[in-house]
Amino acid sequence: KFEEGSVVYSGKADDKASVAAFIADNKHGIVGHRTSDNAKDFKEPLIVAYYDVDYVKNIKGTNYWRNRVLKIAKDFTGYNFAVSSKNDFQHELQEFGMDFVSGDKPVVTAREKGLKYKMEAEFDMDKLKQFVEDLKSGEVEAYIKSEAVPDNSANNVKVAVAKNFDELVTKSEKDVLVEFYAPWCGHCKKLTPIYDELGEKMINEEVEIVKMDATANDVPPAFDVKGFPTLYWLPKESKVPVSYNGGREVDDFIKYIAEKATTELKGWDRKGKEKKTEL
């Protein structure tokens, strides 16, 4: 037995908000059983051990690992800890690049300030303690899901992945239009030839046309991507993302870019009218 059977509230009895917060903080114990139904109760900074959690058929085996997490968790009060079934949370594990977890030992992940962290070492109590200490001192590198960095030298539409996103988008010295897409999305497929044509037309302009598969790469927190395709415009001076909600034809994009571009386009005036080239 590693935790008390009860916790005592020491605040004022008539302070309803304080009582509610106390219950929310303590109802799952030091290491809660996090399920699909109660996952939203567990707030960041959160450390989760995923394994074959089963409080119906295997209480003893489930508590064997939970107790080991608990022994470490009680020394780190600044973090929330939980155990979760690796089968019920396969989608979460995939966000950390784990498609299948074999063996009976837990795998451990953490989320803090919107970033993701993964314990690379095989689970034991010393390794878990070290992981939490390193997390606390900022020595664990955040995990970023990313495809391999592609060769963009011949691409009119630059392909961004999580690892080169800053270079192509947020730190680019040009204005940027970026599309977040999903390979299975019909609207995205329809947009592809139009977007390619736009990339071709913008080749001599101070504008970068970029796309990223948002299902295979972590989308930076500054971009709210809930559906596909989602497009953002980033002016080169501020690099503050502005949601693009205009039309999806080449002319629509050109009119928008012509109006918003930091430097007037060479090929179009501010109203999107093509400039006549002198022969």
Side-chain angles (χ1 to χ4, degrees):
K1 187 171 168 66
F2 304 110
E3 65 183 324
E4 298 300 321
S6 62
V7 284
V8 178
Y9 171 68
S10 56
K12 291 181 180 175
D14 59 353
D15 186 345
K16 287 181 182 174
S18 183
V19 172
F22 172 78
I23 292 168
D25 286 346
N26 291 284
K27 69 178 177 181
H28 294 295
I30 297 172
V31 179
H33 176 207
R34 181 171 166 272
T35 66
S36 309
D37 294 330
N38 70 10
K40 65 180 184 300
D41 292 348
F42 293 83
K43 308 294 185 206
E44 292 184 15
L46 175 65
I47 294 168
V48 182
Y50 299 89
Y51 59 100
D52 198 6
V53 174
D54 189 338
Y55 275 107
V56 177
K57 295 177 184 162
N58 188 11
I59 296 171
K60 190 177 174 186
T62 298
N63 278 337
Y64 175 86
W65 292 114
R66 178 180 178 267
N67 288 342
R68 275 151 181 74
V69 175
L70 186 54
K71 276 185 179 177
I72 304 303
K74 60 188 176 55
D75 294 331
F76 293 95
T77 52
Y79 287 89
N80 298 312
F81 287 80
V83 295
S84 284
S85 163
K86 63 183 183 183
N87 300 318
D88 293 347
F89 285 92
Q90 186 60 48
H91 60 288
E92 277 189 3
L93 290 167
Q94 284 173 344
E95 288 179 34
F96 290 85
M98 293 181 273
D99 290 330
F100 177 72
V101 176
S102 58
D104 62 344
K105 287 188 176 182
V107 293
V108 176
T109 70
R111 290 177 187 264
E112 185 172 17
K113 295 176 184 164
L115 294 172
K116 301 185 297 188
Y117 300 89
K118 175 173 151 185
M119 186 171 111
E120 299 288 355
E122 188 175 62
F123 183 91
D124 68 31
M125 284 167 59
D126 289 339
K127 299 268 177 41
L128 177 59
K129 185 178 182 183
Q130 189 64 53
F131 174 69
V132 185
E133 281 175 349
D134 290 348
L135 195 61
K136 197 175 173 184
S137 61
E139 289 172 46
V140 183
E141 198 175 323
Y143 174 80
I144 297 174
K145 183 171 78 168
S146 179
E147 293 176 290
V149 175
D151 177 6
N152 275 310
S153 53
N155 295 342
N156 295 334
V157 175
K158 304 297 184 201
V159 178
V161 297
K163 285 178 180 170
N164 71 353
F165 191 87
D166 272 356
E167 179 196 333
L168 281 181
V169 180
T170 48
K171 291 180 180 168
S172 169
E173 292 178 358
K174 297 181 177 183
D175 297 329
V176 178
L177 182 69
V178 58
E179 175 205 2
F180 296 96
Y181 71 93
W184 44 259
C185 152
H187 291 295
C188 304
K189 288 174 185 170
K190 189 181 170 193
L191 181 60
T192 300
I194 295 164
Y195 209 62
D196 286 345
E197 188 182 336
L198 178 66
E200 206 174 305
K201 286 183 181 290
M202 291 294 129
I203 198 162
N204 295 319
E205 304 290 352
E206 288 299 300
V207 176
E208 203 76 275
I209 307 300
V210 180
K211 65 178 180 180
M212 182 167 99
D213 179 351
T215 66
N217 298 278
D218 279 341
V219 175
F223 299 84
D224 186 22
V225 178
K226 289 198 170 74
F228 302 109
T230 294
L231 292 110
Y232 278 94
W233 170 258
L234 289 89
K236 70 177 175 185
E237 305 296 342
S238 71
K239 281 292 185 266
V240 174
V242 179
S243 184
Y244 173 85
N245 298 306
R248 301 261 176 90
E249 297 299 330
V250 175
D251 287 349
D252 298 320
F253 285 120
I254 288 175
K255 273 183 185 166
Y256 179 90
I257 293 169
E259 183 192 337
K260 304 285 184 188
T262 306
T263 308
E264 186 173 324
L265 299 179
K266 296 169 192 165
W268 292 265
D269 66 19
R270 285 293 184 188
K271 291 186 175 173
K273 192 176 176 190
E274 196 162 357
K275 293 178 182 175
K276 288 188 171 67
T277 48
E278 300 295 327
L279 294 173

